Amino acid sequence: MALVSDSIRLSIDERTTHFPEKIMFPNFPAIKIGKLAVSSIYQQEYKGIGSLMIELARGIAQEVNDSVACKFITVDADIENDEHVTDFYYKNNFVLNKEFNKGKRRTISMRLNIFDDPQAAVQEDTA
């Protein structure tokens, strides 16, 4: 897994969702997952390691937020090489970035709010 600094542009509707108070900035700080992969040799033996890496990235993002602003983890899900990769990110509570997914692309831009409670999302899904 590789993490890099990033920023993300949010639509007005997306800003309202994440920031109930009016924030005029269109871009927000993020950490991007540049690469995340599990060798096919280890996928069965270490089932769930990809999700564990997402949680590790989330912890790093929350930790650096003490000194460097960070609200989201972003990823460009490579649908050209794996058309089902977005399912993995949805399972890990990522959502689509509306502002970046216009037109035909080889990747799908997605984000995770590092301050959302993942257990709350699971409870909402099962209710």
Side-chain angles (χ1 to χ4, degrees):
M1 177 174 65
L3 301 175
V4 296
S5 296
D6 194 19
S7 69
I8 182 170
R9 179 176 291 276
L10 298 179
S11 70
I12 293 172
D13 290 342
E14 290 171 318
R15 279 184 258 161
T16 303
T17 299
H18 292 291
F19 305 98
E21 63 280 2
K22 289 190 178 209
I23 294 185
M24 304 308 291
F25 303 112
N27 294 326
F28 295 89
I31 288 180
K32 177 176 269 188
I33 296 174
K35 296 285 182 195
L36 188 149
V38 177
S39 170
S40 58
I41 297 168
Y42 298 109
Q43 286 178 353
Q44 288 302 326
E45 185 177 351
Y46 297 104
K47 193 112 176 109
I49 191 98
S51 295
L52 181 64
M53 286 192 280
I54 298 262
E55 283 306 306
L56 179 62
R58 183 188 201 125
I60 291 168
Q62 289 173 335
E63 188 174 309
V64 301
N65 193 50
D66 290 340
S67 56
V68 178
C70 182
K71 173 80 171 161
F72 301 100
I73 294 175
T74 59
V75 67
D76 292 332
D78 185 358
I79 58 172
E80 185 173 66
N81 289 310
D82 180 356
E83 63 187 43
H84 302 290
V85 70
T86 54
D87 295 339
F88 167 75
Y89 288 107
Y90 283 130
K91 179 183 90 170
N92 284 283
N93 301 310
F94 280 73
V95 296
L96 293 177
N97 291 322
K98 295 177 188 175
E99 288 295 302
F100 288 98
N101 290 313
K102 298 176 181 173
K104 189 160 175 70
R105 297 188 55 175
R106 298 180 326 199
T107 62
I108 300 289
S109 180
M110 302 180 81
R111 75 174 178 278
L112 171 69
N113 182 339
I114 65 171
F115 298 106
D116 281 350
D117 179 7
Q119 292 304 316
V122 170
Q123 289 170 356
E124 285 178 20
D125 287 344
T126 58

